[in-house]
Amino acid sequence: METFDPAELPELLKLYYRRLFPYAQYYRWLNYGGVTKNYFQHREFSFTLKDDIYIRYQSFNNQSDLEKEMQKMNPYKIDIGAVYSHRPNQHNTVKLGAFQAQEKELVFDIDMTDYDDVRRCCSSADICSKCWTLMTMAIRIIDRALKEDFGFKHRLWVYSGRRGVHCWVCDESVRKLSSAVRSGIVEYLSLVKGGQDVKKKVHLSEKIHPFVRKSINIIKKYFEDYALVDQDILENKESWDKILALVPETIHEKLQQNFQKHHNSLQRWEYLKKTISSQDNTKNDKCGPWLEWEIMLQYCFPRLDINVSKGINHLLKSPFSVHPKTGRISVPIDVQKVDQFDPFTVPTISSICRELDTISTNEGKRNEAESDIKHRTRDYKKTSLAPYIKVFEQFLENLDKSRKGELLKKSDLQKDF
Ligand SMILES: [Zn+2]
């Protein structure tokens, strides 16, 4: 049941930052084992306060400093920026030009509004279970490529709280990548090109790149249910005209006539495939199986916000921040179970605060001697935030394991000399 009231946000946030926010795990993440001196201290955070007051270049000495400031400022939204050459909160005291962004996770931002020309159920900020499949496919396609094609180990996927997802790639070597290399990676991962005025946004060459082939294989698992049934992309003339614009004019008339005779998107899609494959490829009517794939990719392939990924100093909404409009928490997504992830069951700040109230009432008066921190650890575990924090902890475990592996390697190397 959805009962988030934005007017209650300040009070809810107070409770959230005092008793539910997973500071320990959060600090453990951004401190990265304390391997690099001042890594956490040189990290930029930005806070959006009430009435859209936006404060950049916040930075903190340690976990308790972060806790104190968050409880004091009560931010409506938290963004994470780069690790700088100096403490961001002292950037004014540094000589002009000396203050530089040095490292950051490689991030990806996928937003449902970028799919408005290919989803028929909702538009702009709205989402529903019918179009959420676009995000599921995006996560599976990008995550596979990051893991298998690039060898990146530490990928944290996060629900943005409203209409999209973010990915944080946190491998040590990735955090050091230049802006040029980041651009190259996003370029590799982009297939849908051209703005609103461009009708045909995907062009495949005859030789299909393995990345494209593997992406199509993922889309194939969803295409029938998602595109042909739920989105019904060949439902009527208006919708199939959009698809006709993506195929050569030589077959328009034939398709137009026969689409009328078929009863639904499934049948029309089958007919389209048959028509494409029956064309004579030696003639210059440019028909081939890639045509079918180009349509599938245009309707289903992830659309990345390139600027977010390539800029080292670009800010991105933090995991566990709250979405001020929906009240939903930006929770980590378990990629192993991405098909089951449902944005509509993600806890809202009001739902977890209510859960906390119920627990407190049931438990009666608290033992005053117990420390605040002990309370908090126990507190989030008793709310529906717990499973998402578990996903986050698993991600942190893997980071720890990698760091220990690196240390062992280094000490082995030393023994060899
Ligand atoms: Zn929708």
Side-chain angles (χ1 to χ4, degrees):
M1 188 79 78
E2 212 35 70
T3 53
F4 171 68
D5 176 4
E8 290 172 3
L9 195 55
E11 283 310 307
L12 294 169
L13 283 167
K14 262 185 210 162
L15 189 60
Y16 178 62
Y17 291 134
R18 200 163 52 83
R19 290 188 39 200
L20 293 167
F21 192 90
Y23 293 103
Q25 293 89 336
Y26 193 75
Y27 177 76
R28 191 176 150 203
W29 170 32
L30 295 170
N31 192 42
Y32 288 104
V35 177
T36 310
K37 203 175 162 233
N38 286 332
Y39 208 74
F40 180 79
Q41 291 75 6
H42 286 193
R43 169 79 69 165
E44 179 190 2
F45 295 86
S46 89
F47 289 166
T48 307
L49 309 182
K50 199 168 178 278
D51 303 320
D52 280 331
I53 296 166
Y54 188 55
I55 316 178
R56 280 198 68 175
Y57 300 122
Q58 303 281 295
S59 60
F60 310 102
N61 293 324
N62 47 43
Q63 186 187 324
S64 90
D65 190 23
L66 170 82
E67 291 192 36
K68 264 188 239 143
E69 285 302 311
M70 278 178 41
Q71 289 171 16
K72 199 176 91 191
M73 314 268 283
N74 210 29
Y76 275 39
K77 181 166 160 262
I78 304 161
D79 287 282
I80 300 178
V83 176
Y84 281 82
S85 51
H86 305 79
R87 286 172 196 256
N89 61 2
Q90 295 170 7
H91 74 283
N92 282 328
T93 66
V94 180
K95 241 197 282 170
L96 200 68
F99 182 68
Q100 297 281 350
Q102 292 182 319
E103 292 192 16
K104 209 191 68 192
E105 294 74 11
L106 170 64
V107 294
F108 296 95
D109 181 10
I110 309 170
D111 191 317
M112 199 77 94
T113 48
D114 293 324
Y115 295 82
D116 277 1
D117 59 320
V118 289
R119 54 179 185 147
R120 302 181 65 223
C121 46
C122 327
S123 64
S124 63
D126 293 330
I127 61 161
C128 71
S129 59
K130 281 184 179 174
C131 50
W132 187 255
T133 309
L134 286 167
M135 293 298 131
T136 309
M137 288 188 277
I139 294 173
R140 292 194 60 173
I141 288 168
I142 302 298
D143 195 65
R144 188 213 62 78
L146 293 173
K147 179 183 174 189
E148 296 174 12
D149 303 356
F150 292 100
F152 300 155
K153 279 201 188 111
H154 304 289
R155 309 166 312 275
L156 179 68
W157 285 92
V158 181
Y159 172 50
S160 76
R162 192 175 200 184
R163 59 193 181 197
V165 292
H166 300 152
C167 178
W168 299 76
V169 187
C170 303
D171 302 41
E172 195 186 337
S173 58
V174 176
R175 285 181 267 132
K176 298 182 196 303
L177 292 178
S178 69
S179 185
V181 175
R182 289 169 202 247
S183 297
I185 296 170
V186 198
E187 190 60 33
Y188 174 95
L189 297 169
S190 300
L191 290 179
V192 182
K193 287 170 185 178
Q196 280 183 330
D197 306 326
V198 182
K199 277 188 182 153
K200 193 169 168 75
K201 294 187 168 78
V202 180
H203 294 274
L204 298 178
S205 54
E206 278 192 48
K207 207 158 180 275
I208 305 284
H209 189 282
F211 165 66
V212 178
R213 189 168 35 79
K214 287 174 185 170
S215 299
I216 293 167
N217 285 340
I218 292 171
I219 293 174
K220 276 182 179 164
K221 296 189 181 110
Y222 297 90
F223 193 75
E224 186 175 314
D225 284 345
Y226 165 72
L228 303 178
V229 178
D230 283 349
Q231 295 290 335
D232 215 354
I233 60 170
L234 293 165
E235 185 191 9
N236 51 37
K237 187 168 183 310
E238 195 202 339
S239 59
W240 73 57
D241 276 348
K242 278 185 162 182
I243 287 178
L244 288 183
L246 311 178
V247 303
E249 275 185 38
T250 45
I251 56 171
H252 278 195
E253 214 184 288
K254 194 175 178 192
L255 290 174
Q256 197 64 268
Q257 281 170 3
N258 284 280
F259 277 175
Q260 316 257 12
K261 292 180 197 157
H262 290 92
H263 299 293
N264 55 40
S265 288
L266 285 160
Q267 290 179 357
R268 291 181 188 120
W269 182 254
E270 282 310 309
Y271 182 76
L272 175 86
K273 285 202 293 188
K274 220 172 66 192
T275 310
I276 291 171
S277 60
S278 66
Q279 295 299 301
D280 186 351
N281 285 334
T282 56
K283 286 189 192 153
N284 57 357
D285 56 3
K286 297 273 179 226
C287 278
W290 62 84
L291 255 183
E292 175 194 340
W293 300 330
E294 283 172 345
I295 300 169
M296 290 169 84
L297 292 166
Q298 177 147 346
Y299 275 77
C300 302
F301 189 83
R303 301 177 173 202
L304 305 172
D305 185 334
I306 292 168
N307 291 320
V308 176
S309 301
K310 73 178 183 197
I312 297 178
N313 52 4
H314 207 291
L315 293 143
L316 188 66
K317 187 175 188 231
S318 168
F320 298 105
S321 181
V322 176
H323 196 293
K325 297 252 162 57
T326 61
R328 291 200 197 279
I329 313 287
S330 282
V331 290
I333 297 170
D334 183 352
V335 178
Q336 304 299 317
K337 297 179 188 157
V338 66
D339 289 301
Q340 284 110 281
F341 182 84
D342 177 358
F344 297 102
T345 61
V346 167
T348 64
I349 187 163
S350 35
S351 71
I352 52 174
C353 286
R354 214 180 310 123
E355 285 169 19
L356 196 61
D357 270 351
T358 317
I359 297 158
S360 308
T361 318
N362 291 347
E363 281 180 353
K365 205 175 178 330
R366 287 177 172 279
N367 182 352
E368 306 278 332
E370 274 182 291
S371 75
D372 215 32
I373 290 186
K374 213 170 170 189
H375 273 162
R376 194 170 49 239
T377 323
R378 219 179 46 191
D379 283 343
Y380 77 73
K381 278 190 176 162
K382 287 183 177 172
T383 73
S384 41
L385 197 58
Y388 300 97
I389 293 181
K390 218 162 185 184
V391 174
F392 191 46
E393 284 173 340
Q394 188 56 58
F395 160 79
L396 296 172
E397 283 299 309
N398 291 336
L399 270 172
D400 270 351
K401 262 188 226 155
S402 281
R403 268 194 299 266
K404 278 179 196 142
E406 282 301 311
L407 282 176
L408 272 175
K409 243 195 255 165
K410 273 182 197 157
S411 70
D412 279 353
L413 273 175
Q414 274 164 357
K415 268 182 229 154
D416 288 345
F417 283 108

